[in-house]
Amino acid sequence: MKDHDLHNMTIAAGLVLLGLAACDAAPTRNESASNEAANVAAAAPAPAPAAAIVLEGAGLRIPSANPPRTLAFGMPAAEAVEALAKALGRPPTERGANEECGGGSMEFAAWEGEVTLWLLDGRFAGWDNKGGLKTLDGVGIGSSRPQVAALPGFEAEESTLGTEFRAGGLSGILASRAPDAKVTHLWGGATCVFR
């Protein structure tokens, strides 16, 4: 074999080794950052969707509004109904008045299976939870007595409605006196509750 051929083979072998080394080379800084970001995104759980409505003792909170807002008891009824309709993505399923409420006639706007707003003298007076809405602490229909008892000022008593409680500005009914009884009815403010 001639020196010339040996030299060409050495160069060819060197180029092959360089090519192989390039395949195993560490990714560049930008590639590393992209790969790390993709791995973090894949590993991180998707954020939970924000609740459309949060129950509060002094009204309702709409964290999904831009900007987030609170519907406080005493605000104009029309404004409260409009804001809630926007947050829920639909108008009330029923509007009307109940003449037989304990404190006198009250108007209402109801979203079937979700919530009823009670309106008195043109003002938002109270809410009645009809479904899956919860407080910031996670209290709602189906919550246990210990969950409710953890709210400030918890009191429970037997009334004509059953085991009635008040806590954190909320009122409601427990299924029984049992220590693990569940919430069957939950409201805030002035509502049309028959005693």
Side-chain angles (χ1 to χ4, degrees):
M1 191 173 259
K2 297 183 179 177
D3 287 336
H4 179 53
D5 292 333
L6 187 57
H7 179 70
N8 286 342
M9 284 178 62
T10 303
I11 291 174
L15 290 174
V16 168
L17 288 174
L18 275 174
L20 289 173
C23 289
D24 291 335
T28 65
R29 180 174 160 83
N30 288 344
E31 289 173 340
S32 293
S34 295
N35 290 341
E36 286 175 26
N39 290 340
V40 168
I53 309 295
V54 175
L55 304 173
E56 293 187 338
L60 296 170
R61 186 182 306 175
I62 306 177
S64 59
N66 189 10
R69 68 180 296 190
T70 297
L71 306 181
F73 297 142
M75 72 182 294
E79 186 181 337
V81 171
E82 182 181 338
L84 196 56
K86 185 175 180 184
L88 294 173
R90 59 191 172 90
T93 50
E94 185 180 1
R95 296 283 310 251
N98 191 328
E99 305 291 330
E100 299 175 9
C101 298
S105 178
M106 294 184 81
E107 294 182 354
F108 65 88
W111 285 262
E112 187 177 354
E114 292 184 87
V115 67
T116 297
L117 294 190
W118 289 98
L119 315 167
L120 183 62
D121 299 328
R123 300 282 173 182
F124 172 36
W127 53 260
D128 191 349
N129 187 14
K130 299 294 187 185
L133 301 182
K134 297 186 181 300
T135 67
L136 202 55
D137 297 320
V139 173
I141 303 295
S143 292
S144 67
R145 183 179 182 132
Q147 285 177 288
V148 176
L151 296 174
F154 175 77
E155 294 178 354
E157 65 183 8
E158 294 304 308
S159 75
T160 57
L161 299 173
T163 305
E164 191 171 350
F165 69 86
R166 280 176 286 299
L170 308 174
S171 298
I173 306 294
L174 292 163
S176 69
R177 287 186 243 180
D180 61 348
K182 304 288 186 202
V183 175
T184 60
H185 198 156
L186 187 65
W187 67 89
T191 64
C192 196
V193 177
F194 295 94
R195 287 191 168 78

